[in-house]
Amino acid sequence: MPSSAVDLAAYTARIGYHGPLAHSLETLVGLHRAQAFSIPFENLDLHRNRPIALDPASLQRKLVAEERGGYCYELNGLFRLVLLELGFSVTGLVGRNLIAGHPLRPRAHQVLRVEAAGHSWLADLGFGTNGLIEPIPLVADAESHQFFDHYRLRAAPHHNYHLQLQIGGEWQSLYTFTLDEAQPSDYQMMNFFYSQSPDSPFRKQRICTRAAPDFRVSLVDRELKIRRADGITTAQLLTDAAYEQALATYFGIRLPVAAI
């Protein structure tokens, strides 16, 4: 298999997807949802001092063959490769995290613009515990109910869009982005900062998150949090055994604490 090709059989098996692979909105939504439910957002390799490689072979080896997760450059990078293999038109975009608060982070969040069924869609599998489960129409004031979460896109000054999530009855902006096209070299630079710099927020905490139809789960250092439609439960994992069990149970990651 050429280094740039995608093993679609291995990918669809990894995400448990059995739907169509034709160039259609049904395929786009089905693959996005299946990956969101199957491949976690996680940054554990940063804390193992392992490089984060974004080439096609490395993305498939880590996220598919080794059944690990990754952060936005890896998760959306893999999804982009899959969509291109299936003939979709995909444009890489860049957003700025707003939910992290001030001081604002650099504009460095990878998202995707995908063309399907005659319209543009925002696809994003790399925003962690509050991220999209399905693509949302890339048009101002679009709203999308996704299981127990409710999203919308709002137009903002300077050609920006804000992706918002309804939290506690209030709309909260997750990130802002423009439609300016980003190149793979842009993501390489961003990835270098976030994976190598001591100022990177991802080097300060061990983070794992995953979506499911009826809950969202996150593990930040030793705090396990499960968010459901009716509330949030939190637990402190005080032993190594409890931490390793949570990694395996909720994220499909089997690593000893000593290796992280």
Side-chain angles (χ1 to χ4, degrees):
M1 180 179 66
S3 61
S4 60
V6 176
D7 186 339
L8 290 175
Y11 172 78
T12 54
R14 168 76 169 102
I15 66 174
Y17 179 76
H18 304 288
L21 292 176
H23 184 297
S24 68
L25 180 59
E26 181 184 3
T27 297
L28 172 63
V29 173
L31 289 173
H32 197 290
R33 185 195 307 123
Q35 182 172 322
F37 289 161
S38 303
I39 304 182
F41 178 103
E42 54 110 336
N43 68 342
L44 299 182
D45 274 0
L46 274 64
H47 299 273
R48 305 172 73 200
N49 292 317
R50 293 194 169 190
I52 304 299
L54 303 183
D55 62 278
S58 295
L59 291 175
Q60 293 179 84
R61 180 171 57 253
K62 180 182 177 184
L63 276 63
V64 178
E66 297 177 1
E67 298 189 345
R68 290 285 307 282
Y71 64 172
C72 69
Y73 311 116
E74 298 170 284
L75 297 171
N76 286 328
L78 176 65
F79 196 57
R80 173 182 174 273
L81 292 174
V82 170
L83 294 180
L84 290 174
E85 185 81 5
L86 294 174
F88 286 88
S89 174
V90 185
T91 304
L93 308 177
V94 178
R96 184 192 305 277
N97 185 319
L98 297 178
I99 201 169
H102 291 272
L104 292 177
R105 293 182 181 178
R107 188 181 295 274
H109 174 57
Q110 180 179 356
V111 298
L112 304 174
R113 174 180 180 171
V114 185
E115 308 304 321
H119 299 282
S120 296
W121 300 79
L122 174 67
D124 182 11
L125 287 153
F127 200 69
T129 190
N130 292 313
L132 295 172
I133 294 176
E134 300 174 353
I136 185 172
L138 212 172
V139 59
D141 299 320
E143 296 193 15
S144 179
H145 289 270
Q146 300 188 7
F147 298 84
F148 61 85
D149 278 332
H150 187 191
Y151 297 90
R152 75 177 181 185
L153 274 182
R154 299 288 280 179
H158 310 298
H159 310 290
N160 283 322
Y161 288 88
H162 282 205
L163 178 67
Q164 298 183 323
L165 173 65
Q166 198 169 62
I167 301 176
E170 302 289 335
W171 288 106
Q172 184 165 350
S173 292
L174 302 178
Y175 55 81
T176 181
F177 65 96
T178 73
L179 301 184
D180 294 336
E181 183 176 5
Q183 300 299 321
S185 57
D186 297 320
Y187 298 132
Q188 290 284 1
M189 181 178 65
M190 298 169 197
N191 177 55
F192 181 81
F193 170 80
Y194 275 108
S195 64
Q196 299 294 325
S197 171
D199 294 326
S200 167
F202 296 115
R203 294 193 65 88
K204 297 176 181 178
Q205 291 179 311
R206 293 164 173 81
I207 303 170
C208 302
T209 77
R210 187 178 62 82
D214 59 343
F215 67 89
R216 298 289 192 104
V217 59
S218 64
L219 180 59
V220 180
D221 291 331
R222 293 298 183 108
E223 182 179 77
L224 180 69
K225 184 180 295 185
I226 299 177
R227 179 169 65 88
R228 301 181 186 273
D230 58 356
I232 298 173
T233 59
T234 303
Q236 296 295 326
L237 306 182
L238 301 180
T239 67
D240 289 353
Y243 183 81
E244 291 171 2
Q245 182 178 10
L247 282 180
T249 299
Y250 292 107
F251 310 103
I253 298 172
R254 289 164 177 80
L255 288 174
V257 169
I260 304 172

